[in-house]
Amino acid sequence: MNFLTDNWMLLALALGSGFALLLPVLTKGSGLDPQTMVQLMNREKAVVIDVCEPDEFARGHVIGSKNLPLGQLEDKLGQVVKNKSAQVIMVCQVGARSARAAATARKLGYDNAQSLSGGLRAWTAASMPTEKA
């Protein structure tokens, strides 16, 4: 017990370091990484839906993605993706809107709806191709 009280700073440093190492794992969430997304696009013919506003979409998006702003998702997703068992990947700029969009799609019956973790920023950081409208 004396060791802990005498070396409380070392103990705090060790705990802080351990937390810092676990933080990326804990905050990753359930989204896809860019490499897994590419695999789904190639192998499963996943449909990529960009839930950004049209002006954001025009500035840059994943090649082959379809623009369906988050506010229109519930009304128009059935027109864009007719097969509810298809792989659907939602993308936005940083991943927050796309996570909400994936949850909404799952509520609508799209069980294979997922989100790109980190959004378009993670996609471009991984040196994946984009295009402008």
Side-chain angles (χ1 to χ4, degrees), residues 42-97:
N42 291 336
R43 295 180 185 162
E44 306 287 330
K45 304 297 182 219
V47 178
V48 181
I49 306 290
D50 191 311
V51 295
C52 293
E53 294 300 317
D55 59 322
E56 293 173 296
F57 183 79
R59 287 193 298 262
H61 54 272
V62 174
I63 294 175
S65 63
K66 300 174 183 179
N67 185 223
L68 183 57
L70 183 59
Q72 301 173 11
L73 188 70
E74 286 189 50
D75 298 330
K76 296 186 178 180
L77 184 59
Q79 298 168 5
V80 177
V81 183
K82 304 216 184 295
N83 182 1
K84 289 193 175 188
S85 64
Q87 290 285 341
V88 179
I89 303 170
M90 304 293 181
V91 179
C92 68
Q93 293 297 314
V94 294
R97 284 180 286 180

mmCIF file of all heavy atoms in Angstrom, residues 42-97:
data_model
loop_
_atom_site.group_PDB
_atom_site.id
_atom_site.type_symbol
_atom_site.label_atom_id
_atom_site.label_comp_id
_atom_site.label_asym_id
_atom_site.label_seq_id
_atom_site.Cartn_x
_atom_site.Cartn_y
_atom_site.Cartn_z
ATOM 1 N N ASN A 42 -16.985 -3.456 -54.059
ATOM 2 C CA ASN A 42 -16.522 -4.338 -55.125
ATOM 3 C C ASN A 42 -17.166 -5.720 -55.080
ATOM 4 O O ASN A 42 -17.562 -6.248 -56.115
ATOM 5 C CB ASN A 42 -14.995 -4.487 -55.070
ATOM 6 C CG ASN A 42 -14.291 -3.209 -55.446
ATOM 7 O OD1 ASN A 42 -14.834 -2.368 -56.146
ATOM 8 N ND2 ASN A 42 -13.076 -3.047 -54.964
ATOM 9 N N ARG A 43 -17.255 -6.311 -53.916
ATOM 10 C CA ARG A 43 -17.744 -7.686 -53.796
ATOM 11 C C ARG A 43 -19.254 -7.792 -53.679
ATOM 12 O O ARG A 43 -19.863 -8.708 -54.215
ATOM 13 C CB ARG A 43 -17.110 -8.366 -52.580
ATOM 14 C CG ARG A 43 -15.624 -8.541 -52.727
ATOM 15 C CD ARG A 43 -15.036 -9.210 -51.519
ATOM 16 N NE ARG A 43 -13.580 -9.264 -51.635
ATOM 17 C CZ ARG A 43 -12.775 -9.464 -50.627
ATOM 18 N NH1 ARG A 43 -13.250 -9.635 -49.415
ATOM 19 N NH2 ARG A 43 -11.475 -9.498 -50.815
ATOM 20 N N GLU A 44 -19.852 -6.874 -52.943
ATOM 21 C CA GLU A 44 -21.285 -6.950 -52.669
ATOM 22 C C GLU A 44 -22.098 -5.952 -53.501
ATOM 23 O O GLU A 44 -23.307 -5.875 -53.337
ATOM 24 C CB GLU A 44 -21.550 -6.686 -51.179
ATOM 25 C CG GLU A 44 -20.773 -7.574 -50.227
ATOM 26 C CD GLU A 44 -21.293 -8.992 -50.204
ATOM 27 O OE1 GLU A 44 -22.502 -9.182 -50.426
ATOM 28 O OE2 GLU A 44 -20.495 -9.907 -49.961
ATOM 29 N N LYS A 45 -21.423 -5.185 -54.329
ATOM 30 C CA LYS A 45 -22.093 -4.138 -55.131
ATOM 31 C C LYS A 45 -22.913 -3.209 -54.239
ATOM 32 O O LYS A 45 -24.077 -2.906 -54.499
ATOM 33 C CB LYS A 45 -22.988 -4.754 -56.212
ATOM 34 C CG LYS A 45 -22.264 -5.702 -57.135
ATOM 35 C CD LYS A 45 -21.196 -4.998 -57.923
ATOM 36 C CE LYS A 45 -20.524 -5.968 -58.872
ATOM 37 N NZ LYS A 45 -19.116 -5.792 -58.998
ATOM 38 N N ALA A 46 -22.294 -2.763 -53.153
ATOM 39 C CA ALA A 46 -22.964 -1.882 -52.199
ATOM 40 C C ALA A 46 -23.355 -0.566 -52.862
ATOM 41 O O ALA A 46 -22.640 -0.041 -53.711
ATOM 42 C CB ALA A 46 -22.047 -1.606 -51.009
ATOM 43 N N VAL A 47 -24.498 -0.049 -52.459
ATOM 44 C CA VAL A 47 -24.972 1.244 -52.928
ATOM 45 C C VAL A 47 -24.467 2.294 -51.946
ATOM 46 O O VAL A 47 -24.689 2.182 -50.740
ATOM 47 C CB VAL A 47 -26.516 1.283 -52.984
ATOM 48 C CG1 VAL A 47 -27.011 2.643 -53.438
ATOM 49 C CG2 VAL A 47 -27.042 0.176 -53.886
ATOM 50 N N VAL A 48 -23.777 3.300 -52.463
ATOM 51 C CA VAL A 48 -23.219 4.352 -51.609
ATOM 52 C C VAL A 48 -24.113 5.583 -51.715
ATOM 53 O O VAL A 48 -24.325 6.113 -52.809
ATOM 54 C CB VAL A 48 -21.773 4.699 -52.009
ATOM 55 C CG1 VAL A 48 -21.212 5.779 -51.102
ATOM 56 C CG2 VAL A 48 -20.897 3.448 -51.960
ATOM 57 N N ILE A 49 -24.641 5.999 -50.579
ATOM 58 C CA ILE A 49 -25.525 7.164 -50.508
ATOM 59 C C ILE A 49 -24.800 8.261 -49.749
ATOM 60 O O ILE A 49 -24.411 8.079 -48.595
ATOM 61 C CB ILE A 49 -26.844 6.829 -49.769
ATOM 62 C CG1 ILE A 49 -27.549 5.630 -50.381
ATOM 63 C CG2 ILE A 49 -27.745 8.058 -49.713
ATOM 64 C CD1 ILE A 49 -28.138 5.858 -51.734
ATOM 65 N N ASP A 50 -24.614 9.409 -50.384
ATOM 66 C CA ASP A 50 -24.018 10.575 -49.738
ATOM 67 C C ASP A 50 -25.159 11.425 -49.193
ATOM 68 O O ASP A 50 -25.998 11.908 -49.956
ATOM 69 C CB ASP A 50 -23.183 11.363 -50.746
ATOM 70 C CG ASP A 50 -22.331 12.428 -50.088
ATOM 71 O OD1 ASP A 50 -22.874 13.192 -49.262
ATOM 72 O OD2 ASP A 50 -21.138 12.506 -50.404
ATOM 73 N N VAL A 51 -25.216 11.592 -47.866
ATOM 74 C CA VAL A 51 -26.320 12.311 -47.237
ATOM 75 C C VAL A 51 -26.019 13.787 -47.021
ATOM 76 O O VAL A 51 -26.738 14.472 -46.296
ATOM 77 C CB VAL A 51 -26.745 11.631 -45.911
ATOM 78 C CG1 VAL A 51 -27.307 10.253 -46.174
ATOM 79 C CG2 VAL A 51 -25.604 11.571 -44.922
ATOM 80 N N CYS A 52 -24.986 14.310 -47.664
ATOM 81 C CA CYS A 52 -24.645 15.730 -47.584
ATOM 82 C C CYS A 52 -25.635 16.551 -48.403
ATOM 83 O O CYS A 52 -26.352 16.036 -49.259
ATOM 84 C CB CYS A 52 -23.239 15.961 -48.112
ATOM 85 S SG CYS A 52 -21.967 15.225 -47.091
ATOM 86 N N GLU A 53 -25.623 17.835 -48.162
ATOM 87 C CA GLU A 53 -26.431 18.744 -48.964
ATOM 88 C C GLU A 53 -25.838 18.815 -50.373
ATOM 89 O O GLU A 53 -24.647 18.549 -50.567
ATOM 90 C CB GLU A 53 -26.466 20.127 -48.311
ATOM 91 C CG GLU A 53 -27.181 20.147 -46.975
ATOM 92 C CD GLU A 53 -28.636 19.700 -47.066
ATOM 93 O OE1 GLU A 53 -29.348 20.114 -48.016
ATOM 94 O OE2 GLU A 53 -29.066 18.930 -46.189
ATOM 95 N N PRO A 54 -26.643 19.190 -51.381
ATOM 96 C CA PRO A 54 -26.159 19.189 -52.763
ATOM 97 C C PRO A 54 -24.899 20.024 -53.010
ATOM 98 O O PRO A 54 -24.037 19.621 -53.798
ATOM 99 C CB PRO A 54 -27.347 19.756 -53.550
ATOM 100 C CG PRO A 54 -28.532 19.359 -52.741
ATOM 101 C CD PRO A 54 -28.077 19.448 -51.308
ATOM 102 N N ASP A 55 -24.744 21.155 -52.317
ATOM 103 C CA ASP A 55 -23.535 21.966 -52.526
ATOM 104 C C ASP A 55 -22.296 21.264 -51.974
ATOM 105 O O ASP A 55 -21.225 21.340 -52.573
ATOM 106 C CB ASP A 55 -23.695 23.366 -51.917
ATOM 107 C CG ASP A 55 -23.963 23.345 -50.414
ATOM 108 O OD1 ASP A 55 -24.705 22.454 -49.960
ATOM 109 O OD2 ASP A 55 -23.428 24.209 -49.710
ATOM 110 N N GLU A 56 -22.427 20.559 -50.863
ATOM 111 C CA GLU A 56 -21.307 19.780 -50.325
ATOM 112 C C GLU A 56 -20.977 18.618 -51.260
ATOM 113 O O GLU A 56 -19.808 18.317 -51.501
ATOM 114 C CB GLU A 56 -21.651 19.204 -48.944
ATOM 115 C CG GLU A 56 -21.826 20.227 -47.857
ATOM 116 C CD GLU A 56 -22.322 19.593 -46.578
ATOM 117 O OE1 GLU A 56 -23.450 19.064 -46.558
ATOM 118 O OE2 GLU A 56 -21.555 19.612 -45.601
ATOM 119 N N PHE A 57 -22.002 17.963 -51.765
ATOM 120 C CA PHE A 57 -21.824 16.843 -52.689
ATOM 121 C C PHE A 57 -21.090 17.291 -53.943
ATOM 122 O O PHE A 57 -20.200 16.604 -54.440
ATOM 123 C CB PHE A 57 -23.193 16.256 -53.046
ATOM 124 C CG PHE A 57 -23.145 15.054 -53.942
ATOM 125 C CD1 PHE A 57 -22.835 13.804 -53.429
ATOM 126 C CD2 PHE A 57 -23.431 15.163 -55.289
ATOM 127 C CE1 PHE A 57 -22.798 12.682 -54.246
ATOM 128 C CE2 PHE A 57 -23.403 14.060 -56.121
ATOM 129 C CZ PHE A 57 -23.089 12.806 -55.596
ATOM 130 N N ALA A 58 -21.433 18.498 -54.434
ATOM 131 C CA ALA A 58 -20.806 19.020 -55.647
ATOM 132 C C ALA A 58 -19.317 19.299 -55.443
ATOM 133 O O ALA A 58 -18.530 19.175 -56.381
ATOM 134 C CB ALA A 58 -21.526 20.290 -56.100
ATOM 135 N N ARG A 59 -18.928 19.659 -54.229
ATOM 136 C CA ARG A 59 -17.513 19.942 -53.955
ATOM 137 C C ARG A 59 -16.651 18.686 -53.941
ATOM 138 O O ARG A 59 -15.447 18.753 -54.111
ATOM 139 C CB ARG A 59 -17.375 20.686 -52.627
ATOM 140 C CG ARG A 59 -17.832 22.131 -52.701
ATOM 141 C CD ARG A 59 -17.392 22.920 -51.484
ATOM 142 N NE ARG A 59 -17.959 22.429 -50.240
ATOM 143 C CZ ARG A 59 -19.026 22.940 -49.634
ATOM 144 N NH1 ARG A 59 -19.648 23.967 -50.161
ATOM 145 N NH2 ARG A 59 -19.455 22.431 -48.500
ATOM 146 N N GLY A 60 -17.254 17.532 -53.720
ATOM 147 C CA GLY A 60 -16.495 16.285 -53.722
ATOM 148 C C GLY A 60 -17.243 15.171 -53.029
ATOM 149 O O GLY A 60 -17.900 15.399 -52.013
ATOM 150 N N HIS A 61 -17.181 13.976 -53.621
ATOM 151 C CA HIS A 61 -17.876 12.820 -53.064
ATOM 152 C C HIS A 61 -17.208 11.536 -53.545
ATOM 153 O O HIS A 61 -16.378 11.558 -54.452
ATOM 154 C CB HIS A 61 -19.360 12.843 -53.458
ATOM 155 C CG HIS A 61 -19.584 12.949 -54.930
ATOM 156 N ND1 HIS A 61 -19.653 14.156 -55.584
ATOM 157 C CD2 HIS A 61 -19.721 12.003 -55.887
ATOM 158 C CE1 HIS A 61 -19.836 13.949 -56.880
ATOM 159 N NE2 HIS A 61 -19.873 12.648 -57.098
ATOM 160 N N VAL A 62 -17.585 10.429 -52.928
ATOM 161 C CA VAL A 62 -17.087 9.115 -53.323
ATOM 162 C C VAL A 62 -17.566 8.828 -54.739
ATOM 163 O O VAL A 62 -18.733 9.074 -55.068
ATOM 164 C CB VAL A 62 -17.596 8.028 -52.346
ATOM 165 C CG1 VAL A 62 -17.208 6.642 -52.816
ATOM 166 C CG2 VAL A 62 -17.084 8.289 -50.942
ATOM 167 N N ILE A 63 -16.663 8.324 -55.573
ATOM 168 C CA ILE A 63 -17.022 8.019 -56.963
ATOM 169 C C ILE A 63 -18.166 7.015 -56.987
ATOM 170 O O ILE A 63 -18.121 5.981 -56.329
ATOM 171 C CB ILE A 63 -15.801 7.480 -57.730
ATOM 172 C CG1 ILE A 63 -14.759 8.574 -57.857
ATOM 173 C CG2 ILE A 63 -16.198 6.953 -59.095
ATOM 174 C CD1 ILE A 63 -13.457 8.130 -58.501
ATOM 175 N N GLY A 64 -19.193 7.348 -57.749
ATOM 176 C CA GLY A 64 -20.340 6.466 -57.906
ATOM 177 C C GLY A 64 -21.415 6.613 -56.847
ATOM 178 O O GLY A 64 -22.431 5.918 -56.902
ATOM 179 N N SER A 65 -21.210 7.503 -55.885
ATOM 180 C CA SER A 65 -22.224 7.663 -54.842
ATOM 181 C C SER A 65 -23.399 8.478 -55.363
ATOM 182 O O SER A 65 -23.278 9.247 -56.307
ATOM 183 C CB SER A 65 -21.616 8.331 -53.605
ATOM 184 O OG SER A 65 -21.169 9.630 -53.899
ATOM 185 N N LYS A 66 -24.539 8.277 -54.714
ATOM 186 C CA LYS A 66 -25.761 9.004 -55.062
ATOM 187 C C LYS A 66 -26.060 9.990 -53.949
ATOM 188 O O LYS A 66 -25.927 9.667 -52.774
ATOM 189 C CB LYS A 66 -26.916 8.021 -55.221
ATOM 190 C CG LYS A 66 -26.669 7.002 -56.312
ATOM 191 C CD LYS A 66 -27.744 5.968 -56.346
ATOM 192 C CE LYS A 66 -27.390 4.925 -57.407
ATOM 193 N NZ LYS A 66 -28.376 3.870 -57.473
ATOM 194 N N ASN A 67 -26.465 11.197 -54.323
ATOM 195 C CA ASN A 67 -26.748 12.229 -53.329
ATOM 196 C C ASN A 67 -28.205 12.156 -52.895
ATOM 197 O O ASN A 67 -29.116 12.213 -53.711
ATOM 198 C CB ASN A 67 -26.428 13.601 -53.900
ATOM 199 C CG ASN A 67 -26.582 14.712 -52.879
ATOM 200 O OD1 ASN A 67 -27.122 15.757 -53.182
ATOM 201 N ND2 ASN A 67 -26.094 14.511 -51.681
ATOM 202 N N LEU A 68 -28.396 11.987 -51.594
ATOM 203 C CA LEU A 68 -29.725 11.992 -50.993
ATOM 204 C C LEU A 68 -29.583 12.662 -49.632
ATOM 205 O O LEU A 68 -29.177 12.022 -48.658
ATOM 206 C CB LEU A 68 -30.254 10.562 -50.854
ATOM 207 C CG LEU A 68 -31.661 10.389 -50.316
ATOM 208 C CD1 LEU A 68 -32.673 11.150 -51.166
ATOM 209 C CD2 LEU A 68 -32.019 8.919 -50.275
ATOM 210 N N PRO A 69 -29.847 13.972 -49.561
ATOM 211 C CA PRO A 69 -29.661 14.692 -48.297
ATOM 212 C C PRO A 69 -30.419 14.044 -47.146
ATOM 213 O O PRO A 69 -31.485 13.451 -47.338
ATOM 214 C CB PRO A 69 -30.208 16.088 -48.601
ATOM 215 C CG PRO A 69 -30.050 16.235 -50.078
ATOM 216 C CD PRO A 69 -30.302 14.857 -50.628
ATOM 217 N N LEU A 70 -29.848 14.152 -45.958
ATOM 218 C CA LEU A 70 -30.402 13.509 -44.768
ATOM 219 C C LEU A 70 -31.867 13.873 -44.548
ATOM 220 O O LEU A 70 -32.672 13.021 -44.188
ATOM 221 C CB LEU A 70 -29.563 13.884 -43.540
ATOM 222 C CG LEU A 70 -29.958 13.238 -42.218
ATOM 223 C CD1 LEU A 70 -29.887 11.723 -42.300
ATOM 224 C CD2 LEU A 70 -29.070 13.739 -41.098
ATOM 225 N N GLY A 71 -32.239 15.113 -44.794
ATOM 226 C CA GLY A 71 -33.618 15.552 -44.594
ATOM 227 C C GLY A 71 -34.618 14.881 -45.521
ATOM 228 O O GLY A 71 -35.812 14.847 -45.236
ATOM 229 N N GLN A 72 -34.159 14.337 -46.633
ATOM 230 C CA GLN A 72 -35.038 13.678 -47.605
ATOM 231 C C GLN A 72 -34.950 12.152 -47.541
ATOM 232 O O GLN A 72 -35.627 11.457 -48.295
ATOM 233 C CB GLN A 72 -34.669 14.134 -49.017
ATOM 234 C CG GLN A 72 -34.777 15.616 -49.234
ATOM 235 C CD GLN A 72 -34.231 16.024 -50.592
ATOM 236 O OE1 GLN A 72 -33.956 15.199 -51.446
ATOM 237 N NE2 GLN A 72 -34.070 17.323 -50.786
ATOM 238 N N LEU A 73 -34.126 11.641 -46.666
ATOM 239 C CA LEU A 73 -33.824 10.211 -46.638
ATOM 240 C C LEU A 73 -35.069 9.340 -46.443
ATOM 241 O O LEU A 73 -35.293 8.398 -47.205
ATOM 242 C CB LEU A 73 -32.799 9.918 -45.544
ATOM 243 C CG LEU A 73 -32.240 8.508 -45.531
ATOM 244 C CD1 LEU A 73 -31.333 8.294 -46.731
ATOM 245 C CD2 LEU A 73 -31.479 8.251 -44.257
ATOM 246 N N GLU A 74 -35.867 9.649 -45.447
ATOM 247 C CA GLU A 74 -37.039 8.816 -45.164
ATOM 248 C C GLU A 74 -38.006 8.777 -46.339
ATOM 249 O O GLU A 74 -38.585 7.731 -46.630
ATOM 250 C CB GLU A 74 -37.754 9.311 -43.909
ATOM 251 C CG GLU A 74 -37.006 8.976 -42.632
ATOM 252 C CD GLU A 74 -37.816 9.278 -41.392
ATOM 253 O OE1 GLU A 74 -38.988 8.844 -41.324
ATOM 254 O OE2 GLU A 74 -37.274 9.936 -40.499
ATOM 255 N N ASP A 75 -38.178 9.907 -47.009
ATOM 256 C CA ASP A 75 -39.140 9.976 -48.109
ATOM 257 C C ASP A 75 -38.641 9.344 -49.400
ATOM 258 O O ASP A 75 -39.430 8.786 -50.154
ATOM 259 C CB ASP A 75 -39.516 11.441 -48.386
ATOM 260 C CG ASP A 75 -40.193 12.091 -47.192
ATOM 261 O OD1 ASP A 75 -40.865 11.365 -46.426
ATOM 262 O OD2 ASP A 75 -40.051 13.314 -47.020
ATOM 263 N N LYS A 76 -37.336 9.424 -49.673
ATOM 264 C CA LYS A 76 -36.833 9.047 -50.995
ATOM 265 C C LYS A 76 -35.906 7.841 -51.039
ATOM 266 O O LYS A 76 -35.508 7.421 -52.116
ATOM 267 C CB LYS A 76 -36.130 10.242 -51.636
ATOM 268 C CG LYS A 76 -37.081 11.402 -51.890
ATOM 269 C CD LYS A 76 -36.411 12.502 -52.646
ATOM 270 C CE LYS A 76 -37.404 13.628 -52.917
ATOM 271 N NZ LYS A 76 -36.780 14.722 -53.651
ATOM 272 N N LEU A 77 -35.539 7.262 -49.890
ATOM 273 C CA LEU A 77 -34.606 6.133 -49.913
ATOM 274 C C LEU A 77 -35.177 4.953 -50.694
ATOM 275 O O LEU A 77 -34.455 4.286 -51.430
ATOM 276 C CB LEU A 77 -34.235 5.706 -48.487
ATOM 277 C CG LEU A 77 -33.187 4.603 -48.387
ATOM 278 C CD1 LEU A 77 -31.877 5.029 -49.063
ATOM 279 C CD2 LEU A 77 -32.933 4.234 -46.944
ATOM 280 N N GLY A 78 -36.466 4.718 -50.576
ATOM 281 C CA GLY A 78 -37.105 3.619 -51.303
ATOM 282 C C GLY A 78 -37.035 3.781 -52.814
ATOM 283 O O GLY A 78 -37.020 2.794 -53.550
ATOM 284 N N GLN A 79 -36.953 5.015 -53.294
ATOM 285 C CA GLN A 79 -36.842 5.262 -54.731
ATOM 286 C C GLN A 79 -35.415 5.039 -55.218
ATOM 287 O O GLN A 79 -35.199 4.630 -56.348
ATOM 288 C CB GLN A 79 -37.266 6.699 -55.059
ATOM 289 C CG GLN A 79 -38.704 7.002 -54.718
ATOM 290 C CD GLN A 79 -38.997 8.496 -54.772
ATOM 291 O OE1 GLN A 79 -38.164 9.302 -55.151
ATOM 292 N NE2 GLN A 79 -40.203 8.870 -54.350
ATOM 293 N N VAL A 80 -34.436 5.315 -54.362
ATOM 294 C CA VAL A 80 -33.031 5.189 -54.739
ATOM 295 C C VAL A 80 -32.548 3.752 -54.592
ATOM 296 O O VAL A 80 -31.838 3.233 -55.454
ATOM 297 C CB VAL A 80 -32.158 6.154 -53.896
ATOM 298 C CG1 VAL A 80 -30.694 5.980 -54.220
ATOM 299 C CG2 VAL A 80 -32.589 7.594 -54.132
ATOM 300 N N VAL A 81 -32.940 3.092 -53.496
ATOM 301 C CA VAL A 81 -32.530 1.707 -53.240
ATOM 302 C C VAL A 81 -33.798 0.873 -53.087
ATOM 303 O O VAL A 81 -34.448 0.904 -52.054
ATOM 304 C CB VAL A 81 -31.668 1.595 -51.959
ATOM 305 C CG1 VAL A 81 -31.193 0.173 -51.765
ATOM 306 C CG2 VAL A 81 -30.505 2.557 -52.000
ATOM 307 N N LYS A 82 -34.136 0.150 -54.131
ATOM 308 C CA LYS A 82 -35.382 -0.615 -54.124
ATOM 309 C C LYS A 82 -35.268 -1.920 -53.337
ATOM 310 O O LYS A 82 -36.218 -2.356 -52.718
ATOM 311 C CB LYS A 82 -35.799 -0.904 -55.557
ATOM 312 C CG LYS A 82 -35.942 0.374 -56.381
ATOM 313 C CD LYS A 82 -37.054 0.294 -57.348
ATOM 314 C CE LYS A 82 -37.145 1.504 -58.245
ATOM 315 N NZ LYS A 82 -37.457 2.727 -57.621
ATOM 316 N N ASN A 83 -34.089 -2.546 -53.352
ATOM 317 C CA ASN A 83 -33.870 -3.823 -52.682
ATOM 318 C C ASN A 83 -33.444 -3.582 -51.233
ATOM 319 O O ASN A 83 -32.337 -3.131 -50.979
ATOM 320 C CB ASN A 83 -32.801 -4.626 -53.427
ATOM 321 C CG ASN A 83 -32.557 -5.986 -52.833
ATOM 322 O OD1 ASN A 83 -33.194 -6.383 -51.860
ATOM 323 N ND2 ASN A 83 -31.628 -6.710 -53.434
ATOM 324 N N LYS A 84 -34.319 -3.924 -50.294
ATOM 325 C CA LYS A 84 -34.020 -3.660 -48.883
ATOM 326 C C LYS A 84 -32.944 -4.587 -48.317
ATOM 327 O O LYS A 84 -32.431 -4.345 -47.241
ATOM 328 C CB LYS A 84 -35.280 -3.753 -48.044
ATOM 329 C CG LYS A 84 -36.223 -2.587 -48.296
ATOM 330 C CD LYS A 84 -37.306 -2.516 -47.259
ATOM 331 C CE LYS A 84 -38.132 -1.266 -47.476
ATOM 332 N NZ LYS A 84 -39.080 -1.037 -46.408
ATOM 333 N N SER A 85 -32.584 -5.641 -49.037
ATOM 334 C CA SER A 85 -31.521 -6.524 -48.541
ATOM 335 C C SER A 85 -30.153 -6.137 -49.106
ATOM 336 O O SER A 85 -29.149 -6.767 -48.773
ATOM 337 C CB SER A 85 -31.845 -7.978 -48.888
ATOM 338 O OG SER A 85 -31.857 -8.152 -50.285
ATOM 339 N N ALA A 86 -30.102 -5.113 -49.935
ATOM 340 C CA ALA A 86 -28.831 -4.669 -50.526
ATOM 341 C C ALA A 86 -27.943 -4.025 -49.462
ATOM 342 O O ALA A 86 -28.421 -3.493 -48.461
ATOM 343 C CB ALA A 86 -29.093 -3.663 -51.638
ATOM 344 N N GLN A 87 -26.633 -4.086 -49.694
ATOM 345 C CA GLN A 87 -25.676 -3.382 -48.846
ATOM 346 C C GLN A 87 -25.803 -1.894 -49.153
ATOM 347 O O GLN A 87 -25.671 -1.490 -50.303
ATOM 348 C CB GLN A 87 -24.245 -3.840 -49.131
ATOM 349 C CG GLN A 87 -23.955 -5.238 -48.685
ATOM 350 C CD GLN A 87 -23.781 -5.341 -47.184
ATOM 351 O OE1 GLN A 87 -23.542 -4.362 -46.487
ATOM 352 N NE2 GLN A 87 -23.908 -6.547 -46.676
ATOM 353 N N VAL A 88 -26.059 -1.089 -48.141
ATOM 354 C CA VAL A 88 -26.191 0.357 -48.297
ATOM 355 C C VAL A 88 -25.183 1.019 -47.367
ATOM 356 O O VAL A 88 -25.137 0.728 -46.176
ATOM 357 C CB VAL A 88 -27.619 0.837 -47.956
ATOM 358 C CG1 VAL A 88 -27.730 2.339 -48.110
ATOM 359 C CG2 VAL A 88 -28.650 0.122 -48.803
ATOM 360 N N ILE A 89 -24.359 1.892 -47.945
ATOM 361 C CA ILE A 89 -23.345 2.592 -47.149
ATOM 362 C C ILE A 89 -23.631 4.084 -47.198
ATOM 363 O O ILE A 89 -23.696 4.671 -48.275
ATOM 364 C CB ILE A 89 -21.923 2.308 -47.676
ATOM 365 C CG1 ILE A 89 -21.655 0.806 -47.682
ATOM 366 C CG2 ILE A 89 -20.890 3.038 -46.820
ATOM 367 C CD1 ILE A 89 -20.388 0.414 -48.401
ATOM 368 N N MET A 90 -23.816 4.669 -46.034
ATOM 369 C CA MET A 90 -24.082 6.097 -45.924
ATOM 370 C C MET A 90 -22.769 6.837 -45.688
ATOM 371 O O MET A 90 -21.933 6.393 -44.909
ATOM 372 C CB MET A 90 -25.034 6.377 -44.757
ATOM 373 C CG MET A 90 -26.342 5.635 -44.827
ATOM 374 S SD MET A 90 -27.326 6.212 -46.222
ATOM 375 C CE MET A 90 -28.770 5.218 -46.030
ATOM 376 N N VAL A 91 -22.631 7.987 -46.364
ATOM 377 C CA VAL A 91 -21.412 8.792 -46.264
ATOM 378 C C VAL A 91 -21.809 10.251 -46.077
ATOM 379 O O VAL A 91 -22.780 10.721 -46.664
ATOM 380 C CB VAL A 91 -20.556 8.656 -47.552
ATOM 381 C CG1 VAL A 91 -19.308 9.509 -47.468
ATOM 382 C CG2 VAL A 91 -20.202 7.212 -47.817
ATOM 383 N N CYS A 92 -21.041 10.976 -45.258
ATOM 384 C CA CYS A 92 -21.172 12.428 -45.133
ATOM 385 C C CYS A 92 -19.764 12.989 -44.975
ATOM 386 O O CYS A 92 -18.793 12.286 -45.244
ATOM 387 C CB CYS A 92 -22.087 12.809 -43.964
ATOM 388 S SG CYS A 92 -21.414 12.416 -42.352
ATOM 389 N N GLN A 93 -19.635 14.205 -44.553
ATOM 390 C CA GLN A 93 -18.312 14.825 -44.456
ATOM 391 C C GLN A 93 -17.450 14.229 -43.337
ATOM 392 O O GLN A 93 -16.279 13.953 -43.547
ATOM 393 C CB GLN A 93 -18.439 16.339 -44.261
ATOM 394 C CG GLN A 93 -19.010 17.055 -45.470
ATOM 395 C CD GLN A 93 -18.115 16.926 -46.682
ATOM 396 O OE1 GLN A 93 -16.911 17.103 -46.600
ATOM 397 N NE2 GLN A 93 -18.706 16.603 -47.822
ATOM 398 N N VAL A 94 -18.021 14.053 -42.129
ATOM 399 C CA VAL A 94 -17.220 13.569 -41.003
ATOM 400 C C VAL A 94 -17.777 12.317 -40.332
ATOM 401 O O VAL A 94 -17.153 11.783 -39.427
ATOM 402 C CB VAL A 94 -17.011 14.668 -39.935
ATOM 403 C CG1 VAL A 94 -16.163 15.796 -40.465
ATOM 404 C CG2 VAL A 94 -18.321 15.171 -39.411
ATOM 405 N N GLY A 95 -18.934 11.850 -40.721
ATOM 406 C CA GLY A 95 -19.481 10.608 -40.198
ATOM 407 C C GLY A 95 -20.656 10.729 -39.254
ATOM 408 O O GLY A 95 -21.300 9.728 -38.955
ATOM 409 N N ALA A 96 -20.975 11.923 -38.780
ATOM 410 C CA ALA A 96 -22.076 12.074 -37.824
ATOM 411 C C ALA A 96 -23.439 11.929 -38.506
ATOM 412 O O ALA A 96 -24.296 11.169 -38.049
ATOM 413 C CB ALA A 96 -21.986 13.427 -37.122
ATOM 414 N N ARG A 97 -23.641 12.653 -39.604
ATOM 415 C CA ARG A 97 -24.919 12.559 -40.326
ATOM 416 C C ARG A 97 -25.119 11.169 -40.913
ATOM 417 O O ARG A 97 -26.233 10.653 -40.926
ATOM 418 C CB ARG A 97 -24.987 13.603 -41.445
ATOM 419 C CG ARG A 97 -25.250 15.003 -40.948
ATOM 420 C CD ARG A 97 -25.305 15.981 -42.087
ATOM 421 N NE ARG A 97 -23.942 16.201 -42.580
ATOM 422 C CZ ARG A 97 -23.630 17.014 -43.575
ATOM 423 N NH1 ARG A 97 -24.584 17.654 -44.227
ATOM 424 N NH2 ARG A 97 -22.385 17.180 -43.944
#
